[in-house]
Amino acid sequence: MPGGRLTQQDRQQIALGLADGLAYAEIARRLDRPTSTITREVMRNGGPTGYRADLAHRATQQRTHRRGQAAPRGAGPVPQPYGRDAEAVRDYQETLTTVFMISGLPKMTARVLGCLYTTDSGSLTASELARRLQVSPASISKAITFLEGLDLVRRERDERRRERYVVDDDLWYQSMLRSARANDQLIETARQGVAVLGPGTPAAVRLENVARFHDFITENLLRAAEQAREVLHARTGAAPDGTGGTGSDHGRAPAPTTTA
């Protein structure tokens, strides 16, 4: 990352940029930083409307201090396979978490999903998630329940009868179907409004356009989801050494989706 960690002066420039209505990319350009660094900094410190440079700097110092205290107890970066840089993986996981938060997921839910995404197996137990994220099992349980409601995670039992939380391509497809079902409800409700307000009236025309727009989007969304699913199921997964895989869905994860 250019320039190392953000300084207090950097954070003041971020705050000024937000006050001026600048995009994250423009703030990042002015500070010679990756856009993801600015996005993560803002989202984890109050968001674009609540960001305060001094509070953000103090919170970062406190997080660094807590990490230093936890290090002797073995709370450092999780050892990584394939020769990966553990620190780089942790930084990337934070960036991915920020993206999930921007898409609408609560912070802890986004952290859990980001952790699952960056795991080769695509599955972890509650205790493994709690240990990796350094949070309570209750926090994990709440986040998993939220993700299950969005069809972004499913539960399985392993050979030791432990409950595991899994992400894969089929869940991505199911999440898209959930999004389409939500659109169907909006379409039906909008058309009910047309009947109540009177066809041809300005308000009714507006609602009819809402229904037509989302009807078109949903139809194309479902068609694209089916086509993508067929492509993913037909492809042979590539192993890290370049050899062909089995084509199984397990180990590949979905991204959160919002209603079109």
Side-chain angles (χ1 to χ4, degrees), residues 222-246:
L222 291 174
R223 185 183 301 114
E226 288 287 355
Q227 292 172 345
R229 192 187 195 198
E230 291 176 3
V231 169
L232 288 172
H233 278 255
R235 282 175 51 184
T236 301
D241 60 1
T243 60
T246 62

Side-chain angles (χ1 to χ4, degrees), residues 154-224:
R154 74 164 182 270
R155 300 173 190 248
E156 289 184 353
R157 294 280 183 180
D158 61 18
E159 65 280 357
R160 295 169 58 184
R161 305 302 298 166
R162 297 177 304 177
E163 195 169 68
R164 303 189 70 86
Y165 309 122
V166 182
V167 289
D168 64 16
D169 289 334
D170 193 57
L171 284 167
W172 163 249
Y173 174 74
Q174 294 301 326
S175 183
M176 295 297 286
L177 294 185
R178 180 198 59 78
S179 178
R181 287 194 295 270
N183 275 349
D184 285 341
Q185 185 176 9
L186 174 59
I187 293 166
E188 180 182 354
T189 303
R191 286 184 170 147
Q192 288 174 358
V194 172
V196 171
L197 297 169
T201 64
V205 169
R206 186 181 305 113
L207 285 171
E208 178 60 29
N209 286 338
V210 168
R212 291 173 60 192
F213 175 82
H214 283 87
D215 197 19
F216 178 83
I217 292 295
T218 299
E219 181 181 349
N220 284 274
L221 181 68
L222 291 174
R223 185 183 301 114

